[in-house]
Amino acid sequence: MTYRDIRVVGDPVLRTPCEPIREVTPGIKQLVEDLLENVNEDGRAGLAANQIGVSFRAFSWNIEGELGYILNPTIVKLSEEIQDGDEGCLSVPDLWFHAKRAMYARAEGTDLDGKKVVVEGREIWARLIQHEIDHLDGHLFIDRLERHLRREAFRKLREMQ
């Protein structure tokens, strides 16, 4: 296994929008392998490429016994129905806050062979899709918090440093 350090808040790679994958190279195949291996640890539901320091549009998941990945994901549908629940992030360690997300989300992208991949679902699946694509767009979940919670999150981050 190629263990990759998780980048944490403050690392500029987390705030930089990721580049689309235009060609599947040996490096992209290694990235997918690393994403799958590194998300397959206890307590991990999803992992975006930039969280391991690679600025390409790809993420992996490990939810309800399903391990997978998607390249160049795009959200194609979000419900108007909202969920409000605890959310955390490997890149913002030890902080959990109520974050509002769409109750349902659908993303489309491809796999290493160029075949269409669809990731969709409600609740945890919807949260995962939105959370990981936010990463690929250079956003962290704390950016989506209500104002008073965002202030509290940044205060706690300062205290932790």
Side-chain angles (χ1 to χ4, degrees), residues 85-117:
D86 281 344
E87 190 166 328
C89 180
L90 297 169
S91 293
V92 187
D94 303 321
L95 293 183
W96 289 81
F97 287 95
H98 275 346
K100 292 182 180 177
R101 298 280 190 178
M103 180 64 80
Y104 169 86
R106 176 184 171 104
E108 295 177 358
T110 61
D111 66 11
L112 289 170
D113 297 320
K115 294 179 184 164
K116 184 176 180 177
V117 172

PDB file of all heavy atoms in Angstrom, residues 85-117:
ATOM      1  N   GLY A  85     -27.079  17.795   9.223  1.00  0.00           N
ATOM      2  CA  GLY A  85     -26.497  16.827  10.144  1.00  0.00           C
ATOM      3  C   GLY A  85     -25.020  17.060  10.328  1.00  0.00           C
ATOM      4  O   GLY A  85     -24.413  17.924   9.691  1.00  0.00           O
ATOM      5  N   ASP A  86     -24.455  16.277  11.219  1.00  0.00           N
ATOM      6  CA  ASP A  86     -23.029  16.401  11.501  1.00  0.00           C
ATOM      7  C   ASP A  86     -22.195  16.060  10.279  1.00  0.00           C
ATOM      8  O   ASP A  86     -22.487  15.107   9.559  1.00  0.00           O
ATOM      9  CB  ASP A  86     -22.630  15.476  12.651  1.00  0.00           C
ATOM     10  CG  ASP A  86     -22.988  16.030  14.003  1.00  0.00           C
ATOM     11  OD1 ASP A  86     -23.263  17.248  14.090  1.00  0.00           O
ATOM     12  OD2 ASP A  86     -22.998  15.260  14.973  1.00  0.00           O
ATOM     13  N   GLU A  87     -21.155  16.859  10.083  1.00  0.00           N
ATOM     14  CA  GLU A  87     -20.213  16.613   9.005  1.00  0.00           C
ATOM     15  C   GLU A  87     -18.812  16.893   9.534  1.00  0.00           C
ATOM     16  O   GLU A  87     -18.605  17.815  10.305  1.00  0.00           O
ATOM     17  CB  GLU A  87     -20.529  17.524   7.809  1.00  0.00           C
ATOM     18  CG  GLU A  87     -19.771  17.173   6.561  1.00  0.00           C
ATOM     19  CD  GLU A  87     -20.339  17.845   5.318  1.00  0.00           C
ATOM     20  OE1 GLU A  87     -21.567  18.082   5.242  1.00  0.00           O
ATOM     21  OE2 GLU A  87     -19.537  18.129   4.412  1.00  0.00           O
ATOM     22  N   GLY A  88     -17.888  16.074   9.116  1.00  0.00           N
ATOM     23  CA  GLY A  88     -16.495  16.247   9.473  1.00  0.00           C
ATOM     24  C   GLY A  88     -15.647  16.044   8.238  1.00  0.00           C
ATOM     25  O   GLY A  88     -16.162  15.795   7.152  1.00  0.00           O
ATOM     26  N   CYS A  89     -14.333  16.144   8.410  1.00  0.00           N
ATOM     27  CA  CYS A  89     -13.443  16.057   7.259  1.00  0.00           C
ATOM     28  C   CYS A  89     -12.057  15.647   7.715  1.00  0.00           C
ATOM     29  O   CYS A  89     -11.557  16.159   8.726  1.00  0.00           O
ATOM     30  CB  CYS A  89     -13.388  17.409   6.548  1.00  0.00           C
ATOM     31  SG  CYS A  89     -12.319  17.443   5.105  1.00  0.00           S
ATOM     32  N   LEU A  90     -11.428  14.763   6.967  1.00  0.00           N
ATOM     33  CA  LEU A  90     -10.059  14.359   7.279  1.00  0.00           C
ATOM     34  C   LEU A  90      -9.098  15.536   7.215  1.00  0.00           C
ATOM     35  O   LEU A  90      -8.091  15.560   7.919  1.00  0.00           O
ATOM     36  CB  LEU A  90      -9.595  13.279   6.293  1.00  0.00           C
ATOM     37  CG  LEU A  90     -10.362  11.968   6.325  1.00  0.00           C
ATOM     38  CD1 LEU A  90      -9.980  11.102   5.137  1.00  0.00           C
ATOM     39  CD2 LEU A  90     -10.116  11.241   7.635  1.00  0.00           C
ATOM     40  N   SER A  91      -9.413  16.514   6.380  1.00  0.00           N
ATOM     41  CA  SER A  91      -8.545  17.684   6.221  1.00  0.00           C
ATOM     42  C   SER A  91      -8.821  18.773   7.254  1.00  0.00           C
ATOM     43  O   SER A  91      -8.119  19.776   7.299  1.00  0.00           O
ATOM     44  CB  SER A  91      -8.680  18.261   4.808  1.00  0.00           C
ATOM     45  OG  SER A  91      -8.167  17.345   3.876  1.00  0.00           O
ATOM     46  N   VAL A  92      -9.857  18.586   8.053  1.00  0.00           N
ATOM     47  CA  VAL A  92     -10.176  19.489   9.159  1.00  0.00           C
ATOM     48  C   VAL A  92     -10.346  18.573  10.379  1.00  0.00           C
ATOM     49  O   VAL A  92     -11.455  18.358  10.858  1.00  0.00           O
ATOM     50  CB  VAL A  92     -11.461  20.304   8.876  1.00  0.00           C
ATOM     51  CG1 VAL A  92     -11.677  21.355   9.957  1.00  0.00           C
ATOM     52  CG2 VAL A  92     -11.425  20.945   7.502  1.00  0.00           C
ATOM     53  N   PRO A  93      -9.238  17.993  10.852  1.00  0.00           N
ATOM     54  CA  PRO A  93      -9.329  16.939  11.859  1.00  0.00           C
ATOM     55  C   PRO A  93      -9.984  17.374  13.163  1.00  0.00           C
ATOM     56  O   PRO A  93      -9.815  18.503  13.614  1.00  0.00           O
ATOM     57  CB  PRO A  93      -7.870  16.528  12.092  1.00  0.00           C
ATOM     58  CG  PRO A  93      -7.028  17.549  11.437  1.00  0.00           C
ATOM     59  CD  PRO A  93      -7.872  18.334  10.488  1.00  0.00           C
ATOM     60  N   ASP A  94     -10.748  16.436  13.706  1.00  0.00           N
ATOM     61  CA  ASP A  94     -11.336  16.562  15.043  1.00  0.00           C
ATOM     62  C   ASP A  94     -12.431  17.613  15.168  1.00  0.00           C
ATOM     63  O   ASP A  94     -12.822  17.956  16.287  1.00  0.00           O
ATOM     64  CB  ASP A  94     -10.248  16.837  16.098  1.00  0.00           C
ATOM     65  CG  ASP A  94      -9.182  15.746  16.111  1.00  0.00           C
ATOM     66  OD1 ASP A  94      -9.547  14.569  15.960  1.00  0.00           O
ATOM     67  OD2 ASP A  94      -7.994  16.091  16.249  1.00  0.00           O
ATOM     68  N   LEU A  95     -12.922  18.140  14.066  1.00  0.00           N
ATOM     69  CA  LEU A  95     -14.025  19.106  14.129  1.00  0.00           C
ATOM     70  C   LEU A  95     -15.235  18.563  13.382  1.00  0.00           C
ATOM     71  O   LEU A  95     -15.124  18.132  12.242  1.00  0.00           O
ATOM     72  CB  LEU A  95     -13.615  20.448  13.511  1.00  0.00           C
ATOM     73  CG  LEU A  95     -12.540  21.244  14.241  1.00  0.00           C
ATOM     74  CD1 LEU A  95     -12.315  22.577  13.546  1.00  0.00           C
ATOM     75  CD2 LEU A  95     -12.904  21.475  15.698  1.00  0.00           C
ATOM     76  N   TRP A  96     -16.363  18.597  14.051  1.00  0.00           N
ATOM     77  CA  TRP A  96     -17.638  18.176  13.474  1.00  0.00           C
ATOM     78  C   TRP A  96     -18.646  19.290  13.702  1.00  0.00           C
ATOM     79  O   TRP A  96     -18.731  19.828  14.808  1.00  0.00           O
ATOM     80  CB  TRP A  96     -18.136  16.888  14.139  1.00  0.00           C
ATOM     81  CG  TRP A  96     -17.312  15.708  13.757  1.00  0.00           C
ATOM     82  CD1 TRP A  96     -16.109  15.337  14.295  1.00  0.00           C
ATOM     83  CD2 TRP A  96     -17.608  14.745  12.764  1.00  0.00           C
ATOM     84  NE1 TRP A  96     -15.642  14.198  13.678  1.00  0.00           N
ATOM     85  CE2 TRP A  96     -16.550  13.817  12.734  1.00  0.00           C
ATOM     86  CE3 TRP A  96     -18.681  14.579  11.879  1.00  0.00           C
ATOM     87  CZ2 TRP A  96     -16.527  12.735  11.864  1.00  0.00           C
ATOM     88  CZ3 TRP A  96     -18.659  13.498  11.019  1.00  0.00           C
ATOM     89  CH2 TRP A  96     -17.596  12.597  11.010  1.00  0.00           C
ATOM     90  N   PHE A  97     -19.395  19.633  12.651  1.00  0.00           N
ATOM     91  CA  PHE A  97     -20.418  20.672  12.761  1.00  0.00           C
ATOM     92  C   PHE A  97     -21.642  20.278  11.944  1.00  0.00           C
ATOM     93  O   PHE A  97     -21.535  19.537  10.971  1.00  0.00           O
ATOM     94  CB  PHE A  97     -19.884  22.012  12.214  1.00  0.00           C
ATOM     95  CG  PHE A  97     -18.884  22.669  13.104  1.00  0.00           C
ATOM     96  CD1 PHE A  97     -17.532  22.486  12.904  1.00  0.00           C
ATOM     97  CD2 PHE A  97     -19.288  23.478  14.157  1.00  0.00           C
ATOM     98  CE1 PHE A  97     -16.594  23.083  13.725  1.00  0.00           C
ATOM     99  CE2 PHE A  97     -18.363  24.086  14.987  1.00  0.00           C
ATOM    100  CZ  PHE A  97     -17.017  23.888  14.770  1.00  0.00           C
ATOM    101  N   HIS A  98     -22.791  20.831  12.356  1.00  0.00           N
ATOM    102  CA  HIS A  98     -23.999  20.656  11.553  1.00  0.00           C
ATOM    103  C   HIS A  98     -23.823  21.422  10.258  1.00  0.00           C
ATOM    104  O   HIS A  98     -23.562  22.626  10.282  1.00  0.00           O
ATOM    105  CB  HIS A  98     -25.225  21.198  12.288  1.00  0.00           C
ATOM    106  CG  HIS A  98     -25.850  20.227  13.247  1.00  0.00           C
ATOM    107  ND1 HIS A  98     -25.563  18.893  13.260  1.00  0.00           N
ATOM    108  CD2 HIS A  98     -26.766  20.407  14.216  1.00  0.00           C
ATOM    109  CE1 HIS A  98     -26.267  18.297  14.197  1.00  0.00           C
ATOM    110  NE2 HIS A  98     -27.000  19.198  14.803  1.00  0.00           N
ATOM    111  N   ALA A  99     -23.969  20.721   9.161  1.00  0.00           N
ATOM    112  CA  ALA A  99     -23.836  21.344   7.842  1.00  0.00           C
ATOM    113  C   ALA A  99     -25.049  20.978   7.001  1.00  0.00           C
ATOM    114  O   ALA A  99     -25.463  19.817   6.977  1.00  0.00           O
ATOM    115  CB  ALA A  99     -22.562  20.869   7.160  1.00  0.00           C
ATOM    116  N   LYS A 100     -25.603  21.967   6.335  1.00  0.00           N
ATOM    117  CA  LYS A 100     -26.759  21.729   5.479  1.00  0.00           C
ATOM    118  C   LYS A 100     -26.292  21.313   4.093  1.00  0.00           C
ATOM    119  O   LYS A 100     -25.388  21.919   3.521  1.00  0.00           O
ATOM    120  CB  LYS A 100     -27.625  22.990   5.391  1.00  0.00           C
ATOM    121  CG  LYS A 100     -28.295  23.326   6.700  1.00  0.00           C
ATOM    122  CD  LYS A 100     -29.174  24.535   6.596  1.00  0.00           C
ATOM    123  CE  LYS A 100     -29.804  24.815   7.960  1.00  0.00           C
ATOM    124  NZ  LYS A 100     -30.626  26.009   7.954  1.00  0.00           N
ATOM    125  N   ARG A 101     -26.917  20.267   3.592  1.00  0.00           N
ATOM    126  CA  ARG A 101     -26.639  19.737   2.261  1.00  0.00           C
ATOM    127  C   ARG A 101     -27.956  19.290   1.645  1.00  0.00           C
ATOM    128  O   ARG A 101     -28.925  19.032   2.347  1.00  0.00           O
ATOM    129  CB  ARG A 101     -25.710  18.517   2.334  1.00  0.00           C
ATOM    130  CG  ARG A 101     -24.335  18.768   2.906  1.00  0.00           C
ATOM    131  CD  ARG A 101     -23.422  19.380   1.901  1.00  0.00           C
ATOM    132  NE  ARG A 101     -22.031  19.397   2.392  1.00  0.00           N
ATOM    133  CZ  ARG A 101     -21.033  19.848   1.703  1.00  0.00           C
ATOM    134  NH1 ARG A 101     -21.211  20.309   0.490  1.00  0.00           N
ATOM    135  NH2 ARG A 101     -19.818  19.855   2.202  1.00  0.00           N
ATOM    136  N   ALA A 102     -27.951  19.142   0.340  1.00  0.00           N
ATOM    137  CA  ALA A 102     -29.114  18.572  -0.330  1.00  0.00           C
ATOM    138  C   ALA A 102     -29.297  17.136   0.166  1.00  0.00           C
ATOM    139  O   ALA A 102     -28.324  16.427   0.434  1.00  0.00           O
ATOM    140  CB  ALA A 102     -28.927  18.595  -1.841  1.00  0.00           C
ATOM    141  N   MET A 103     -30.534  16.706   0.286  1.00  0.00           N
ATOM    142  CA  MET A 103     -30.840  15.356   0.760  1.00  0.00           C
ATOM    143  C   MET A 103     -30.478  14.293  -0.279  1.00  0.00           C
ATOM    144  O   MET A 103     -30.132  13.165   0.052  1.00  0.00           O
ATOM    145  CB  MET A 103     -32.328  15.258   1.114  1.00  0.00           C
ATOM    146  CG  MET A 103     -32.748  13.898   1.624  1.00  0.00           C
ATOM    147  SD  MET A 103     -31.961  13.439   3.184  1.00  0.00           S
ATOM    148  CE  MET A 103     -32.982  14.339   4.333  1.00  0.00           C
ATOM    149  N   TYR A 104     -30.547  14.662  -1.563  1.00  0.00           N
ATOM    150  CA  TYR A 104     -30.229  13.735  -2.649  1.00  0.00           C
ATOM    151  C   TYR A 104     -29.251  14.420  -3.598  1.00  0.00           C
ATOM    152  O   TYR A 104     -29.365  15.619  -3.868  1.00  0.00           O
ATOM    153  CB  TYR A 104     -31.499  13.353  -3.427  1.00  0.00           C
ATOM    154  CG  TYR A 104     -31.212  12.623  -4.716  1.00  0.00           C
ATOM    155  CD1 TYR A 104     -31.042  11.240  -4.733  1.00  0.00           C
ATOM    156  CD2 TYR A 104     -31.074  13.313  -5.919  1.00  0.00           C
ATOM    157  CE1 TYR A 104     -30.750  10.574  -5.914  1.00  0.00           C
ATOM    158  CE2 TYR A 104     -30.788  12.647  -7.102  1.00  0.00           C
ATOM    159  CZ  TYR A 104     -30.621  11.281  -7.096  1.00  0.00           C
ATOM    160  OH  TYR A 104     -30.329  10.628  -8.263  1.00  0.00           O
ATOM    161  N   ALA A 105     -28.297  13.647  -4.091  1.00  0.00           N
ATOM    162  CA  ALA A 105     -27.352  14.166  -5.085  1.00  0.00           C
ATOM    163  C   ALA A 105     -27.030  13.075  -6.090  1.00  0.00           C
ATOM    164  O   ALA A 105     -27.037  11.882  -5.758  1.00  0.00           O
ATOM    165  CB  ALA A 105     -26.073  14.658  -4.416  1.00  0.00           C
ATOM    166  N   ARG A 106     -26.743  13.514  -7.296  1.00  0.00           N
ATOM    167  CA  ARG A 106     -26.313  12.600  -8.372  1.00  0.00           C
ATOM    168  C   ARG A 106     -25.125  13.248  -9.072  1.00  0.00           C
ATOM    169  O   ARG A 106     -25.193  14.422  -9.466  1.00  0.00           O
ATOM    170  CB  ARG A 106     -27.442  12.368  -9.365  1.00  0.00           C
ATOM    171  CG  ARG A 106     -27.044  11.508 -10.563  1.00  0.00           C
ATOM    172  CD  ARG A 106     -28.200  11.415 -11.567  1.00  0.00           C
ATOM    173  NE  ARG A 106     -27.786  10.788 -12.788  1.00  0.00           N
ATOM    174  CZ  ARG A 106     -28.084   9.537 -13.134  1.00  0.00           C
ATOM    175  NH1 ARG A 106     -28.831   8.794 -12.339  1.00  0.00           N
ATOM    176  NH2 ARG A 106     -27.666   9.042 -14.285  1.00  0.00           N
ATOM    177  N   ALA A 107     -24.053  12.470  -9.205  1.00  0.00           N
ATOM    178  CA  ALA A 107     -22.862  12.944  -9.921  1.00  0.00           C
ATOM    179  C   ALA A 107     -22.542  11.946 -11.024  1.00  0.00           C
ATOM    180  O   ALA A 107     -22.778  10.742 -10.888  1.00  0.00           O
ATOM    181  CB  ALA A 107     -21.681  13.075  -8.976  1.00  0.00           C
ATOM    182  N   GLU A 108     -22.005  12.477 -12.116  1.00  0.00           N
ATOM    183  CA  GLU A 108     -21.582  11.634 -13.223  1.00  0.00           C
ATOM    184  C   GLU A 108     -20.137  11.938 -13.558  1.00  0.00           C
ATOM    185  O   GLU A 108     -19.686  13.074 -13.430  1.00  0.00           O
ATOM    186  CB  GLU A 108     -22.466  11.876 -14.452  1.00  0.00           C
ATOM    187  CG  GLU A 108     -23.906  11.467 -14.225  1.00  0.00           C
ATOM    188  CD  GLU A 108     -24.812  11.757 -15.414  1.00  0.00           C
ATOM    189  OE1 GLU A 108     -24.343  12.328 -16.426  1.00  0.00           O
ATOM    190  OE2 GLU A 108     -26.001  11.415 -15.324  1.00  0.00           O
ATOM    191  N   GLY A 109     -19.426  10.920 -13.973  1.00  0.00           N
ATOM    192  CA  GLY A 109     -18.038  11.038 -14.394  1.00  0.00           C
ATOM    193  C   GLY A 109     -17.657   9.790 -15.158  1.00  0.00           C
ATOM    194  O   GLY A 109     -18.510   9.164 -15.779  1.00  0.00           O
ATOM    195  N   THR A 110     -16.395   9.409 -15.063  1.00  0.00           N
ATOM    196  CA  THR A 110     -15.934   8.222 -15.776  1.00  0.00           C
ATOM    197  C   THR A 110     -15.031   7.387 -14.878  1.00  0.00           C
ATOM    198  O   THR A 110     -14.600   7.833 -13.817  1.00  0.00           O
ATOM    199  CB  THR A 110     -15.139   8.595 -17.049  1.00  0.00           C
ATOM    200  OG1 THR A 110     -13.988   9.347 -16.665  1.00  0.00           O
ATOM    201  CG2 THR A 110     -15.996   9.397 -18.029  1.00  0.00           C
ATOM    202  N   ASP A 111     -14.718   6.178 -15.373  1.00  0.00           N
ATOM    203  CA  ASP A 111     -13.719   5.342 -14.722  1.00  0.00           C
ATOM    204  C   ASP A 111     -12.441   5.374 -15.552  1.00  0.00           C
ATOM    205  O   ASP A 111     -12.339   6.133 -16.533  1.00  0.00           O
ATOM    206  CB  ASP A 111     -14.248   3.914 -14.491  1.00  0.00           C
ATOM    207  CG  ASP A 111     -14.493   3.135 -15.778  1.00  0.00           C
ATOM    208  OD1 ASP A 111     -14.074   3.577 -16.869  1.00  0.00           O
ATOM    209  OD2 ASP A 111     -15.091   2.042 -15.683  1.00  0.00           O
ATOM    210  N   LEU A 112     -11.469   4.558 -15.202  1.00  0.00           N
ATOM    211  CA  LEU A 112     -10.190   4.549 -15.905  1.00  0.00           C
ATOM    212  C   LEU A 112     -10.313   4.123 -17.364  1.00  0.00           C
ATOM    213  O   LEU A 112      -9.456   4.455 -18.183  1.00  0.00           O
ATOM    214  CB  LEU A 112      -9.192   3.639 -15.175  1.00  0.00           C
ATOM    215  CG  LEU A 112      -8.661   4.160 -13.847  1.00  0.00           C
ATOM    216  CD1 LEU A 112      -7.892   3.072 -13.105  1.00  0.00           C
ATOM    217  CD2 LEU A 112      -7.792   5.396 -14.062  1.00  0.00           C
ATOM    218  N   ASP A 113     -11.372   3.389 -17.684  1.00  0.00           N
ATOM    219  CA  ASP A 113     -11.586   2.932 -19.064  1.00  0.00           C
ATOM    220  C   ASP A 113     -12.445   3.896 -19.877  1.00  0.00           C
ATOM    221  O   ASP A 113     -12.796   3.600 -21.021  1.00  0.00           O
ATOM    222  CB  ASP A 113     -12.230   1.543 -19.061  1.00  0.00           C
ATOM    223  CG  ASP A 113     -11.333   0.494 -18.430  1.00  0.00           C
ATOM    224  OD1 ASP A 113     -10.109   0.542 -18.672  1.00  0.00           O
ATOM    225  OD2 ASP A 113     -11.850  -0.361 -17.682  1.00  0.00           O
ATOM    226  N   GLY A 114     -12.813   5.024 -19.272  1.00  0.00           N
ATOM    227  CA  GLY A 114     -13.647   5.994 -19.968  1.00  0.00           C
ATOM    228  C   GLY A 114     -15.127   5.677 -19.929  1.00  0.00           C
ATOM    229  O   GLY A 114     -15.933   6.367 -20.552  1.00  0.00           O
ATOM    230  N   LYS A 115     -15.515   4.641 -19.183  1.00  0.00           N
ATOM    231  CA  LYS A 115     -16.930   4.279 -19.063  1.00  0.00           C
ATOM    232  C   LYS A 115     -17.600   5.206 -18.060  1.00  0.00           C
ATOM    233  O   LYS A 115     -17.006   5.592 -17.052  1.00  0.00           O
ATOM    234  CB  LYS A 115     -17.077   2.836 -18.614  1.00  0.00           C
ATOM    235  CG  LYS A 115     -16.580   1.843 -19.642  1.00  0.00           C
ATOM    236  CD  LYS A 115     -16.724   0.428 -19.137  1.00  0.00           C
ATOM    237  CE  LYS A 115     -16.121  -0.534 -20.145  1.00  0.00           C
ATOM    238  NZ  LYS A 115     -15.884  -1.839 -19.554  1.00  0.00           N
ATOM    239  N   LYS A 116     -18.869   5.515 -18.330  1.00  0.00           N
ATOM    240  CA  LYS A 116     -19.636   6.409 -17.461  1.00  0.00           C
ATOM    241  C   LYS A 116     -19.814   5.799 -16.074  1.00  0.00           C
ATOM    242  O   LYS A 116     -20.126   4.618 -15.940  1.00  0.00           O
ATOM    243  CB  LYS A 116     -21.000   6.681 -18.082  1.00  0.00           C
ATOM    244  CG  LYS A 116     -21.846   7.667 -17.315  1.00  0.00           C
ATOM    245  CD  LYS A 116     -23.147   7.934 -18.067  1.00  0.00           C
ATOM    246  CE  LYS A 116     -24.016   8.918 -17.348  1.00  0.00           C
ATOM    247  NZ  LYS A 116     -25.230   9.221 -18.136  1.00  0.00           N
ATOM    248  N   VAL A 117     -19.605   6.627 -15.068  1.00  0.00           N
ATOM    249  CA  VAL A 117     -19.831   6.251 -13.672  1.00  0.00           C
ATOM    250  C   VAL A 117     -20.878   7.204 -13.119  1.00  0.00           C
ATOM    251  O   VAL A 117     -20.790   8.415 -13.323  1.00  0.00           O
ATOM    252  CB  VAL A 117     -18.536   6.366 -12.836  1.00  0.00           C
ATOM    253  CG1 VAL A 117     -18.824   6.160 -11.352  1.00  0.00           C
ATOM    254  CG2 VAL A 117     -17.489   5.384 -13.323  1.00  0.00           C
TER     255      VAL A 117
END
